[in-house]
Amino acid sequence: MRQFVERHSFWSFVILVALGVFLWLIFAVWPEWLEAVLGRKKTFVNTFLNGLTLAGLYFLVASGFTLVFGLMRNVNLAHGSMYLLGAYIGYEAAEATGNWFIGLAVAFLAIAVTGILLQVLIFRRMEGDALRQTMVTIGISIIAADLMLAIWSGATYQFDPPEWLIGAAELPIISAVRSSGEAVYLKYPLYRLTVLGVAVAVGIALWLFLNRTRVGMMIRAGVNDRDMLSATGVNVQLVFALVFAIGAGLAGLAGVIGGTALSIAPGEDIRYLLASLVVVIVGGLGSVTGAAIGALLIGLAEQFGLAYFPTYGVVLTFLIMVVVLAVRPQGVMGQA
Amino acid sequence: MDRRSLFFGSGPLAQVHPAALLAGIFLIAYPSFASDFFTFQIGAYSLILGTISLSLMMLAGYGGMVSLAQLAVAGLAGYLVAILGDNSVGVMGLGWPWWLTVPVAILGAAIFGTLIGIISVRTEGIYTIMITLAIAVAFFYFVRQNYDLFNGFTGFAGVAPPTLFGIYWRSPDAFYYLSLAVAAFYFFAVVYCARSTFGLSLQATRDNPRRMRAIGFDVTLHRVAAYFLAGLIAGTGGVLMVWFNGRISPGSVGVDVAIDILVIAVIGGLRHPVGPFIGAVAFVMLENFAIDLIDRERFNTVIGLAFLLVVLFSPDGLLGLWNRFGGTLRFRRPASLEKLERSGAG
């Protein structure tokens, strides 16, 4: 961070000013000329919060994807299927027990086990052959999508979150001032804020796990030089299985959380696969921080695109990817 | 050494492998004994899918770039035909004559393919798959959301080939021969291209880009040029595809279809231009007759399993199986190529 500021003083300044303007846009009461340009403040802040929530969801899915790639150079294109499978399994478990948290835990565990199976049965057999791994996971995702369609049909499912998570929270953000001088505070669904909180918590936990624990140290060492790590006596295969389990489990977890915030339906697997792909391409493959930055960029771009120019919303996401590839092919936080 | 090799026999007819000759005669005589359904729904459809997969095979087999966006390229050509020519939806349909629409559509698709190439050649291997997949998905969502130009979710219908020389080109026999002519043209073009200087340097780039760069070749330019040529092939395939279906909608350029194209190329084999066509025939047969084996609804499971088995056990596809068990009928590549590969390997 300090290095970046010293090296790119000008850009740090620009980023700081942009951040300042943004914060002012969110907390200040908008003057009339601004409302005339950008529309109502409520729309703007709501879009911003929706973007943040979506970014949190994308981060949950993409962090597992990027973690697996960073350590093992395995591109798991069945990651989207794991998201959807996690959502379905979590739904069944939550329906059966009536407890949303059990659904969450079951989804995490079930998909983590699926991930381990995938690693042991498929990826371990074709180590180093990235193209073949990619194609095999494509094949798996085709079959998985079809079987899930057979089991859960094309219907849309919706979770019931625990009651204390339903409802709206009043935020300390003034959306408008009534003529009587009374301030109207913005309301936002509590559950969506929770999604954001969970994503931040998972991000911090991942960072602590990777940077402050012994196993995390092994993983980071494996990212840099896998052969040397195994030469020092670490059971690399065990570390691989663990990382795969965490990465896949996070996708399953995201399935339940995303399925509650939005809904579960066939086709969501492709959507989240695309999201993770773009997020890690933008953020840099193998970097959890990069996944966070990429998720933030893509989530915000998608929501603002949807709100302000609906027809070309996808193009905005795509443009970000192209610009990043043109300027920094390895991604924002990727190592060259 | 057997001098007669399948498809690589040059010069006098005697040097052409008898199997290739037989295949040619069979393909030309096919409509005379096949029913309309087999000519149109199986024959022509396989040839079209094979042509689109051929563009992927060329990029992946010779250039080492597995692009999942080739269907998007073909789809754009199809959309351009519907937009510039006539359609029955009442959106766009500028009514250009066919001799203007078709070249513009193919060229537009090729330029789109080149742009995709420019973006994705900055990366290699699995990154290429990821980026082209992202492009393919983005294209799908874009045409679905855009109503001004692409008519959104509905797409276009009522797109038909012109009636020319008194022949209605969508009648089964005529359309079959049209597809066969296009497929044969591109097949031989790719075979020729693979032996040309450009093709050889492209394959050398696949095997060792660093060395090629050191020798002084413009690696990026070769790859982008390959994307342009593949775009021409896919674009023509796309024009035929929209004529075949008579309609085009976001569903025609969806991710599942894009992956089907990859499945076809991989099942057939990425080593020789005949692979995509073999794969297409296998795919279309499965698609039409899997109904007899199992539930029609579970077609994707069948095709996914077939794909998985091929990738797991025969990386060279059906072509690889043929080579392994085919005995004397070998799809041999020219000696110059093999020598080049041997020296370039590693």
Side-chain angles (χ1 to χ4, degrees):
Chain A
M1 184 78 180
R2 181 178 291 167
Q3 225 179 357
F4 180 81
V5 173
E6 277 166 12
R7 240 198 269 160
H8 305 279
S9 307
F10 173 72
W11 286 111
S12 321
F13 181 71
V14 170
I15 291 174
L16 209 68
V17 168
L19 214 66
V21 170
F22 215 76
L23 282 179
W24 180 81
L25 277 177
I26 288 169
F27 286 104
V29 177
W30 285 17
E32 271 183 22
W33 58 268
L34 197 61
E35 299 234 342
V37 177
L38 283 177
R40 291 172 60 200
K41 185 188 173 190
K42 200 176 155 196
T43 321
F44 179 81
V45 178
N46 261 331
T47 310
F48 174 69
L49 286 175
N50 282 342
L52 275 188
T53 320
L54 196 65
L57 202 53
Y58 283 172
F59 172 74
L60 285 179
V61 188
S63 58
F65 188 82
T66 199
L67 206 61
V68 166
F69 181 86
L71 182 63
M72 288 168 274
R73 305 280 137 187
N74 288 343
V75 170
N76 178 15
L77 290 188
H79 202 71
S81 313
M82 291 180 154
Y83 169 90
L84 193 56
L85 186 64
Y88 280 133
I89 291 179
Y91 180 81
E92 292 294 338
E95 280 291 288
T97 57
N99 189 331
W100 186 78
F101 286 98
I102 291 181
L104 200 65
V106 168
F108 182 85
L109 289 176
I111 303 303
V113 171
T114 317
I116 293 176
L117 284 179
L118 203 61
Q119 210 268 325
V120 172
L121 294 179
I122 303 287
F123 286 108
R124 202 170 285 183
R125 283 167 192 275
M126 38 186 84
E127 231 161 84
D129 196 346
L131 203 61
R132 235 172 118 206
Q133 292 174 348
T134 316
M135 296 215 191
V136 169
T137 49
I138 288 180
I140 291 174
S141 63
I142 296 174
I143 300 172
D146 204 45
L147 290 181
M148 283 191 277
L149 188 66
I151 299 173
W152 284 285
S153 79
T156 303
Y157 293 82
Q158 183 101 45
F159 281 97
D160 299 316
E163 265 177 37
W164 49 272
L165 278 179
I166 306 174
E170 202 164 82
L171 299 176
I173 298 172
I174 298 168
S175 71
V177 179
R178 287 213 187 101
S179 51
S180 59
E182 188 187 356
V184 181
Y185 288 94
L186 194 81
K187 285 201 173 82
Y188 197 71
L190 188 61
Y191 179 76
R192 296 202 158 200
L193 290 177
T194 319
V195 172
L196 193 58
V198 170
V200 171
V202 166
I204 291 173
L206 266 182
W207 189 85
L208 286 176
F209 171 67
L210 286 175
N211 290 290
R212 290 284 183 270
T213 64
R214 206 178 146 71
V215 182
M217 195 166 69
M218 287 178 197
I219 294 173
R220 277 183 299 132
V223 172
N224 285 335
D225 194 330
R226 190 198 302 177
D227 296 336
M228 272 317 279
L229 178 68
S230 76
T232 55
V234 174
N235 185 347
V236 181
Q237 296 298 345
L238 208 64
V239 179
F240 282 8
L242 179 74
V243 171
F244 222 110
I246 295 175
L250 280 176
L253 188 85
V256 174
I257 291 176
T260 316
L262 307 161
S263 59
I264 329 167
E268 291 288 288
D269 48 348
I270 300 281
R271 215 191 112 192
Y272 282 91
L273 177 64
L274 172 77
S276 345
L277 282 179
V278 177
V279 163
V280 296
I281 289 171
V282 168
L285 269 166
S287 155
V288 174
T289 324
I293 294 176
L296 212 54
L297 273 174
I298 299 303
L300 287 175
E302 210 176 300
Q303 287 301 323
F304 275 102
L306 216 58
Y308 288 97
F309 28 103
T311 328
Y312 298 98
V314 181
V315 181
L316 191 64
T317 313
F318 183 67
L319 263 183
I320 291 178
M321 190 179 92
V322 172
V323 168
V324 168
L325 276 175
V327 181
R328 228 180 124 77
Q330 71 272 33
V332 176
M333 296 298 285
Q335 273 127 24
Chain B
M1 192 174 147
D2 184 11
R3 287 179 57 85
R4 299 180 306 174
S5 59
L6 204 52
F7 297 116
F8 282 110
S10 54
L13 202 63
Q15 281 197 7
V16 177
H17 198 287
L21 220 55
L22 274 178
I25 293 170
F26 173 79
L27 283 174
I28 291 173
Y30 181 68
S32 64
F33 57 83
S35 66
D36 275 1
F37 173 79
F38 268 87
T39 310
F40 192 66
Q41 297 286 347
I42 306 278
Y45 190 48
S46 302
L47 286 167
I48 295 170
L49 282 181
T51 307
I52 299 176
S53 299
L54 179 69
S55 77
L56 170 60
M57 176 271 147
M58 183 190 152
L59 284 177
Y62 295 140
M65 304 169 285
V66 180
S67 163
L68 285 172
Q70 286 311 108
L71 181 78
V73 174
L76 183 73
Y79 265 113
L80 282 178
V81 168
I83 290 169
L84 302 175
D86 290 311
N87 66 67
S88 63
V89 177
V91 179
M92 298 305 286
L94 303 179
W96 292 11
W98 70 271
W99 48 265
L100 198 59
T101 309
V102 172
V104 168
I106 294 174
L107 211 64
I111 291 169
F112 182 47
T114 315
L115 289 177
I116 294 173
I118 290 172
I119 295 168
S120 58
V121 289
R122 298 183 65 90
T123 56
E124 274 177 13
I126 29 181
Y127 294 83
T128 312
I129 296 192
M130 292 169 50
I131 286 163
T132 50
L133 180 61
I135 292 173
V137 180
F139 182 74
F140 166 72
Y141 279 117
F142 180 64
V143 295
R144 204 176 66 169
Q145 283 178 8
N146 186 301
Y147 277 85
D148 300 335
L149 202 57
F150 294 102
N151 200 26
F153 194 79
T154 337
F156 296 103
V159 186
T163 305
L164 208 66
F165 313 123
I167 303 169
Y168 178 53
W169 284 99
R170 203 161 175 267
S171 65
D173 285 4
F175 194 74
Y176 172 82
Y177 281 118
L178 181 67
S179 314
L180 182 63
V182 167
F185 172 74
Y186 281 122
F187 172 77
F188 288 113
V190 170
V191 169
Y192 174 78
C193 177
R195 287 188 294 170
S196 67
T197 320
F198 167 74
L200 288 176
S201 29
L202 185 67
Q203 290 168 69
T205 305
R206 168 199 65 192
D207 293 333
N208 199 333
R210 248 170 124 182
R211 189 180 293 180
M212 288 302 279
R213 206 169 279 136
I215 297 172
F217 281 84
D218 192 336
V219 168
T220 312
L221 193 66
H222 273 84
R223 288 182 171 161
V224 172
Y227 267 101
F228 175 75
L229 293 177
L232 286 179
I233 302 177
T236 317
V239 172
L240 287 179
M241 185 63 110
V242 76
W243 281 346
F244 174 83
N245 288 323
R247 53 168 58 247
I248 188 158
S249 64
S252 334
V253 293
V255 189
D256 43 343
V257 193
I259 287 174
D260 282 347
I261 297 294
L262 176 74
V263 170
I264 289 170
V266 170
I267 285 186
L270 290 170
R271 290 219 156 236
H272 190 279
V274 83
F277 293 101
I278 296 177
V281 171
F283 182 87
V284 174
M285 294 295 247
L286 264 182
E287 194 175 33
N288 279 285
F289 300 111
I291 195 171
D292 299 332
L293 297 170
I294 55 150
D295 195 1
R296 175 74 186 81
E297 299 281 300
R298 295 283 76 78
F299 167 69
N300 271 334
T301 307
V302 175
I303 199 71
L305 272 177
F307 177 71
L308 204 57
L309 288 176
V310 165
V311 177
L312 282 176
F313 299 111
S314 173
D316 282 348
L318 293 177
L319 216 57
L321 284 184
W322 174 277
N323 277 349
R324 216 179 293 169
F325 304 113
T328 47
L329 288 174
R330 289 174 60 85
F331 283 79
R332 200 178 296 110
R333 326 171 68 198
S336 57
L337 255 183
E338 278 178 11
K339 212 186 292 164
L340 189 95
E341 249 177 30
R342 229 174 288 135
S343 61

